Amino acid sequence: MSVGVFAGQDPAKRAMVLTALYVAQEQYGYLSAEAIQRVAQRLGMAAGEVYETATFYSMYREEPVGRYVIQVCEGLSCHLADGAERLIGYLQDKLGIAPGETTADGLFSLQAVQCLAACGSSPAMRVNDTLYENLTFDRVDMILDELRRGR
Ligand code: FES
């Protein structure tokens, strides 16, 4: 099934783009215009096509971010679990930043995102590649402490 931004795109090619974008982001920390251009050149694609793919998925970043990117789910299940707004507010207070911002020490970036595919165990958040479910404020404190200690 091909819809929207991916209409007409070869699934194998799309998979290559996703992988190349992931590798580029791991290497540079985020997907700058230069990184997107490099991916496009490597795969023989238009930069606009690669850019559309990069902006479609929440796992890709277009701006420099902190060492730990905290993505808090504000999807429906997390909202209904009374978690999304409270959790975002709690993290805002703890970190002193709003969604879309990075702490002055460059350690944490906070983002509000849609469903993290953990609806059955909401509220949920993801820190870089690690998913945390059934969150409480105490658990969030423990996670932040671990991250500050470098795990
Ligand atoms: S709505 Fe939060 S994980 Fe799906």
Side-chain angles (χ1 to χ4, degrees):
M1 180 178 81
S2 295
V3 293
V5 69
F6 303 116
Q9 195 179 65
D10 176 357
K13 192 173 189 179
R14 185 187 322 159
M16 278 193 319
V17 174
L18 296 176
T19 301
L21 288 172
Y22 182 83
V23 170
Q25 182 169 274
E26 285 294 298
Q27 185 173 355
Y28 301 112
Y30 71 105
L31 295 172
S32 64
E34 182 185 347
I36 287 175
Q37 188 67 43
R38 284 187 183 181
V39 169
Q41 285 174 347
R42 261 321 231 289
L43 299 179
M45 298 174 64
E49 195 177 359
V50 175
Y51 178 78
E52 282 184 351
T53 304
T55 55
F56 183 79
Y57 293 98
S58 64
M59 65 185 173
Y60 297 121
R61 304 182 287 267
E62 298 163 68
E63 302 288 335
V65 291
R67 180 173 173 197
Y68 299 110
V69 179
I70 301 173
Q71 294 184 315
V72 181
C73 178
E74 60 177 2
L76 183 59
S77 291
C78 290
H79 174 75
L80 292 176
D82 195 26
E85 289 81 10
R86 287 176 2 105
L87 192 54
I88 291 170
Y90 188 72
L91 281 161
Q92 282 188 216
D93 290 345
K94 292 288 286 188
L95 301 174
I97 56 173
E101 296 179 344
T102 299
T103 55
D105 62 4
L107 200 55
F108 297 106
S109 292
L110 181 61
Q111 300 174 347
V113 300
Q114 290 302 311
C115 190
L116 293 171
C119 309
S121 50
S122 52
M125 70 179 190
R126 182 170 55 204
V127 182
N128 296 353
D129 293 329
T130 303
L131 180 67
Y132 297 92
E133 303 164 87
N134 298 309
L135 290 169
T136 62
F137 292 158
D138 286 344
R139 186 126 186 273
V140 168
D141 287 344
M142 287 173 47
I143 293 165
L144 292 178
D145 286 345
E146 286 178 10
L147 295 173
R148 284 193 174 103
R149 290 194 306 265
R151 285 196 201 183

